[in-house]
Amino acid sequence: TSTVVGMYLHLIREEGFKTSQVLLLTFAQNAARELKSRIDAEYRESYDESWVSTFHSFATRVLTKYGRTRGIAAFRLMNGFQEKLLMRHVLGQIKDGSGALRDGTQLRLRTLEPLLKSDALVQDALWLIGILKQNLISAEDFASAAGASGNGKLEDLADIYRLYAAIQERRRVWDFRDVISRCYTLLRDDHDLRRQLSQKFRQVIVDEY
């Protein structure tokens, strides 16, 4: 942490960069708070804006600051407890027959139906969806792969993912993996914004990568 803070302050004090031109990213919230605290303790001068945060906070900030004018509607972030509640809601809808996709497709599990009330299925489904999102695999892409596999369990998990994603979109609630993937997609597809941020951030420091 001392090394990272030292690098950051060197760029500001010795190299002449503004705080708004240096992007400092870390993984954990505690680490981000510690970095901000140490920088504030040592750098007393006024500055325009600071970009010291976690990867997730950076992605959320980009989506909020730049995404609204690019077709990304307002959203709310879910915590882990809210993700579990949403998954229980999804499984409950499938169990009582009210789980339907946007096109009206009614979902009914085959292999996993006996586990619809199981906390283990809640945990396992969330874990798998998290892994898929981290690898930028959408619900529809996974459904296509699962269908081609002929594996009933994978097909059931794909349907759970599809309904989970559909309800997320309906409610405009995202998890931390969503903001990373949405930010990635935005920067990948929007050349002007990518160029703008590339010019804005002249130095990038990544901690704990």
Side-chain angles (χ1 to χ4, degrees):
T1 301
S2 298
T3 301
V4 172
V5 170
M7 292 171 63
Y8 183 90
L9 293 175
H10 173 78
L11 291 172
I12 304 301
R13 288 172 171 166
E14 308 299 330
E15 300 294 333
F17 291 100
K18 297 178 180 179
T19 56
S20 59
Q21 295 177 311
V22 181
L23 174 61
L24 172 51
L25 295 171
T26 188
F27 183 77
Q29 288 284 4
N30 288 341
R33 283 194 291 268
E34 178 70 13
L35 289 168
K36 288 178 183 177
S37 176
R38 291 201 192 187
I39 289 169
D40 288 341
E42 296 190 42
Y43 187 72
R44 301 287 184 170
E45 293 85 342
S46 61
Y47 53 84
D48 48 357
E49 63 176 1
S50 169
W51 288 78
V52 178
S53 71
T54 62
F55 291 96
H56 304 99
S57 295
F58 168 74
T60 302
R61 189 171 176 181
V62 169
L63 292 170
T64 302
K65 187 178 179 70
Y66 302 100
R68 301 290 163 80
T69 59
R70 293 169 167 83
I72 296 178
F75 60 89
R76 292 180 294 110
L77 272 177
M78 295 188 291
N79 57 33
F81 177 70
Q82 291 167 325
E83 290 177 50
K84 290 180 181 178
L85 289 179
L86 180 58
M87 180 56 72
R88 288 196 179 100
H89 174 70
V90 167
L91 297 180
Q93 283 204 338
I94 294 175
K95 184 168 182 60
D96 65 23
S98 62
L101 301 176
R102 185 175 299 177
D103 62 5
T105 302
Q106 289 285 337
L107 298 181
R108 183 174 181 82
L109 302 189
R110 296 157 291 273
T111 305
L112 297 177
E113 186 171 9
L115 301 176
L116 279 172
K117 288 187 175 181
S118 166
D119 282 341
L121 182 57
V122 171
Q123 297 282 6
D124 290 349
L126 284 174
W127 175 83
L128 177 62
I129 290 172
I131 294 296
L132 293 169
K133 286 181 177 182
Q134 286 175 11
N135 286 279
L136 306 177
I137 299 173
S138 70
E140 295 307 318
D141 288 343
F142 182 61
S144 296
S149 73
N151 184 307
K153 184 180 293 186
L154 285 180
E155 290 176 328
D156 283 354
L157 289 168
D159 282 347
I160 292 171
Y161 186 9
R162 291 170 74 197
L163 184 57
Y164 185 87
I167 294 177
Q168 275 193 281
E169 285 303 306
R170 199 177 305 150
R171 296 184 178 183
R172 300 302 301 168
V173 290
W174 292 352
D175 60 33
F176 290 113
R177 303 168 197 87
D178 291 317
V179 295
I180 292 289
S181 62
R182 300 291 179 125
C183 184
Y184 168 83
T185 302
L186 175 64
L187 293 176
R188 181 196 63 193
D189 297 341
D190 192 316
H191 304 296
D192 290 337
L193 178 58
R194 190 169 67 246
R195 187 183 308 111
Q196 179 183 343
L197 292 183
S198 294
Q199 293 171 348
K200 172 181 175 59
F201 298 120
R202 306 303 302 276
Q203 297 286 331
V204 180
I205 303 173
V206 181
D207 180 35
E208 295 184 359
Y209 187 68

